[in-house]
Amino acid sequence: MLSTADNELVCRTGPGTPMGNLMRRYWVPVMLSSEIAEPDCAPVRVKLLNENLVAFRATDGSVGLMDERCPHRNASMFFGRNEENGLRCVYHGWKFDVTGQCTDMPSEPAESNFKRKVKIEAYPCVERGGIVWTYMGPPELKPGFPELEWIHVPANQRYATRHIQECNWFQAFEGGFDTSHLSFLHRG
C-alpha cells in the first residue's frame, strides 16, 4: 500500500513533477497516424502527461505537436487553420511551424523581425508503425528512437489500436500486473 505522498510521487506526470520529468525522457505514443491522415487536415486535441496540446499534419506531411494555447492571446490553437506548413491562430493570424517557430505575423509590418523572436512550446514527432510518437524532455538529452521490432513489420501484417483509459498511466500499468485484481474483477 502506497502512502499518500508516494502515490502523489508516482502518479503526477505534469511538467516539473518527478514522474513527469522521467516519462518525458522517453519517446511516448501520441496517436494513430490515421487520426491526422491528410496534410492540412483539422488539428486534433491531445492531452499527454497532463499537458493540453494540439497535433496537426503540415502541408509537407510532417507532424506537429504544440501547446494548445497561442503565446500571444492564449487562444486555442485547436481552432487554428492548418495551412501552408503551419498552424495559424484564428485570433490574430500568427502562424507556427511544426518546430513551434512563428513564421508569419500579419499584424506586423513586412520588414519586422519580431516573428523570429516568438515560439510556441512544441515537441518533435516521428511516425513509426502507424503511430505518431513524441519526445517531451530536454532537447539535449533526446535519445534515438527505439527500434521496436513490430514497427518494421509491413503494415498489412500489424494492427495498431488505442483505447481511452481515464486513469493514471502508472496505476494502470501496475494494475495490469496485479494477478489478484485480474482474476477477481475480470473473471469470466
Side-chain angles (χ1 to χ4, degrees):
M1 185 93 151
L2 290 177
S3 68
T4 301
D6 287 343
N7 195 56
E8 288 292 311
L9 176 72
V10 298
C11 293
R12 299 296 170 221
T13 59
T17 62
M19 187 59 81
N21 290 344
L22 174 68
M23 298 285 292
R24 283 168 174 75
R25 295 287 310 279
Y26 298 91
W27 286 94
V28 180
V30 178
M31 64 192 338
L32 298 173
S33 295
S34 61
E35 293 179 76
I36 51 171
E38 299 297 322
D40 298 328
C41 62
V44 175
R45 281 188 170 120
V46 175
K47 186 163 188 175
L48 194 57
L49 299 178
N50 209 35
E51 289 189 49
N52 294 318
L53 306 167
V54 174
F56 68 101
R57 186 174 299 279
T59 309
D60 65 7
S62 59
V63 176
L65 182 67
M66 63 177 56
D67 192 333
E68 184 186 358
R69 298 292 172 185
C70 179
H72 183 221
R73 296 288 182 156
N74 214 26
S76 175
M77 296 298 288
F78 172 73
F79 299 109
R81 290 196 306 257
N82 186 0
E83 59 188 25
E84 300 170 354
N85 279 323
L87 194 56
R88 187 179 296 278
C89 180
V90 294
Y91 198 91
H92 280 116
W94 290 16
K95 186 168 81 169
F96 300 90
D97 67 15
V98 297
T99 70
Q101 181 61 55
C102 185
T103 60
D104 189 31
M105 284 183 170
S107 57
E108 286 289 308
E111 65 276 2
S112 170
N113 70 352
F114 184 57
K115 67 183 175 191
R116 290 187 214 117
K117 299 175 184 176
V118 177
K119 285 192 82 154
I120 190 170
E121 184 70 48
Y123 300 108
C125 293
V126 299
E127 288 185 88
R128 300 284 193 283
I131 297 174
V132 175
W133 303 76
T134 192
Y135 173 76
M136 300 171 72
E140 67 277 7
L141 299 175
K142 182 173 79 172
F145 188 82
E147 291 302 320
L148 307 167
E149 275 189 48
W150 63 268
I151 64 174
H152 299 292
V153 173
N156 66 349
Q157 294 181 17
R158 70 173 180 261
Y159 178 72
T161 186
R162 72 178 190 113
H163 68 276
I164 296 172
Q165 195 170 339
E166 294 190 16
C167 62
N168 176 271
W169 178 88
F170 186 79
Q171 290 169 325
F173 180 74
E174 185 271 335
F177 286 100
D178 183 345
T179 55
S180 177
H181 162 77
L182 289 172
S183 63
F184 184 76
L185 182 63
H186 301 286
R187 66 180 166 200

